Amino acid sequence: MSEPVKLTDASAYESFLDKYDTFLIDCDGVIWHGNNVLPNLREALSVLRKKGKKLLFVSNNSATSRKGYLKKFKKLNIEIHDGEVFGSAYASAYYIKNVLKFPKEKKVYVVGDVGIIEELESEGIRYAGANEDSNFDTSNWDYANIKQDPEVGAVLCGFDIHVNYLKYAKAFTYLNSNPECLFFLTNDDPTFPANGTVYPGGGAIAAPLITALGRNPDGIFGKPNKPMLDCIIQHLNLNPERTCMIGDRLDTDILFGTNGGLGTLFVLTGVNKEQDILAKDARIIPDYYMASLGDFSIL
Ligand SMILES: O=C(O)[C@H](O)[C@H](O)COP(=O)(O)O
Ligand SMILES: [Mg+2]
């Protein structure tokens, strides 16, 4: 396995950038932590744009749709253009509609946030759950109240800050009572970086369902899995040899890039750390790594 190359100065940055035309850039832990943009990030992104690089922002965070991300980028004063954002909610909706050819009359039961709902709507996929089950009165809880919608043919689980027992019980019932019901995750990141540390991520939201069902999902759409790259390639003509994935997580971003035959740049501003790639038993090794994407701002 080749050694990762650490980029530490302007000449190394320039020769690295000359190798690629397109950069797939992760969001949480690379551009921002929550709503805090990392230092010099805006300046670094404008250096890449001035060099004529194509930028695509590729996030596993399913809480936000492409529309929501465009709003977030603008609110944080980061230059963004239509078509430059791909989230796991969109990759999921795109795959369910266009690859799985999910039946029009069927519904997807959602354990997740507004990002998933907006993207299912954008692909014309019917759904149940999500916010309609976010609040419920536990004082007169009765399992008999868990009514099943016969039109539900799949369960899609993603990051859900309003997750609760009712959603788990409904999702479990659909999957446990009907072997035909499909089980999908937008992504399975165990954690995500915020506030200088990490918090339970989309994968942690799905874990109770997987434990209760004793069954793994039928599909996971976000990085490092192929559906996310297929979704991007369907929309853009990428040359994998001239495309580089930039991320903070080895088991999602860097593995996604390696699996897709892309170049990979690992940054030390998110979940994984330098010792995670230098350790003797390290199994996911990026081509390049650097302290922060913001360091390109010196060019
Ligand atoms: O918890 C999640 O869903 C993900 O860990 C998180 O949001 C990752 O987002 P990304 O780093 O892919 O932008
Ligand atoms: Mg990240």
Side-chain angles (χ1 to χ4, degrees):
M1 204 176 279
S2 59
E3 287 293 305
V5 175
K6 189 168 189 177
L7 305 176
T8 52
D9 59 32
S11 67
Y13 299 161
E14 292 287 5
S15 57
F16 163 77
L17 292 174
D18 287 347
K19 294 178 193 299
Y20 302 105
D21 305 322
T22 304
F23 291 93
L24 307 187
I25 303 174
D26 176 44
C27 299
D28 289 341
V30 175
I31 300 176
W32 54 53
H33 282 185
N35 288 320
N36 299 314
V37 181
L38 296 183
N40 305 316
L41 231 292
R42 295 179 186 83
E43 297 77 5
L45 293 176
S46 59
V47 164
L48 297 185
R49 289 189 187 277
K50 284 194 190 93
K51 285 177 175 288
K53 306 300 180 183
K54 175 107 188 102
L55 307 184
L56 294 171
F57 298 93
V58 183
S59 175
N60 267 4
N61 192 323
S62 63
T64 309
S65 62
R66 289 162 297 164
K67 193 174 68 174
Y69 270 118
L70 289 174
K71 272 196 214 133
K72 178 169 181 175
F73 272 82
K74 286 172 186 160
K75 190 172 133 232
L76 296 175
N77 192 23
I78 305 172
E79 187 183 347
I80 191 75
H81 304 281
D82 281 0
E84 288 187 337
V85 180
F86 287 83
S88 63
Y90 179 53
S92 302
Y94 178 85
Y95 196 89
I96 290 170
K97 168 81 178 290
N98 300 295
V99 181
L100 285 166
K101 310 283 184 210
F102 192 67
K104 279 194 179 8
E105 70 283 0
K106 287 278 183 195
K107 286 179 187 172
V108 174
Y109 182 78
V110 175
V111 178
D113 218 322
V114 63
I116 297 177
I117 298 306
E118 288 180 354
E119 297 295 15
L120 289 176
E121 285 175 349
S122 77
E123 292 293 312
I125 299 171
R126 302 175 70 214
Y127 62 86
N131 238 4
E132 76 189 14
D133 289 333
S134 286
N135 305 298
F136 70 107
D137 176 5
T138 56
S139 59
N140 59 358
W141 172 265
D142 180 345
Y143 284 92
N145 292 340
I146 299 183
K147 299 282 178 259
Q148 284 200 52
D149 180 336
E151 293 181 308
V152 167
V155 168
L156 177 62
C157 185
F159 184 78
D160 187 348
I161 203 161
H162 304 290
V163 70
N164 59 41
Y165 186 76
L166 175 63
K167 291 179 180 180
Y168 281 134
K170 283 191 170 183
F172 174 86
T173 306
Y174 284 124
L175 292 164
N176 192 47
S177 60
N178 172 8
E180 304 292 305
C181 189
L182 297 166
F183 180 23
F184 298 127
L185 307 189
T186 58
N187 64 304
D188 61 352
D189 302 52
T191 59
F192 74 96
N195 190 31
T197 177
V198 288
Y199 293 90
I205 299 294
L209 265 182
I210 292 169
T211 300
L213 290 160
R215 160 185 174 186
N216 285 321
D218 301 301
I220 305 173
F221 301 122
K223 302 168 289 186
N225 304 290
K226 201 165 168 307
M228 177 71 102
L229 189 58
D230 292 347
C231 177
I232 295 169
I233 291 173
Q234 282 300 319
H235 289 74
L236 297 148
N237 186 13
L238 290 185
N239 172 358
E241 282 160 24
R242 298 283 303 172
T243 302
C244 183
M245 175 73 212
I246 302 176
D248 69 296
R249 268 198 92 104
L250 296 169
D251 60 358
T252 54
D253 306 314
I254 303 306
L255 194 53
F256 175 75
T258 307
N259 289 348
L262 314 179
T264 52
L265 170 65
F266 168 51
V267 292
L268 301 175
T269 46
V271 171
N272 285 116
K273 301 301 169 207
E274 189 169 15
Q275 66 267 17
D276 296 331
I277 58 170
L278 300 181
K280 282 202 185 58
D281 61 351
R283 58 181 183 80
I284 303 173
I285 307 293
D287 297 316
Y288 301 92
Y289 72 108
M290 67 194 291
S292 167
L293 179 59
D295 294 347
F296 285 148
S297 61
I298 64 169
L299 299 181

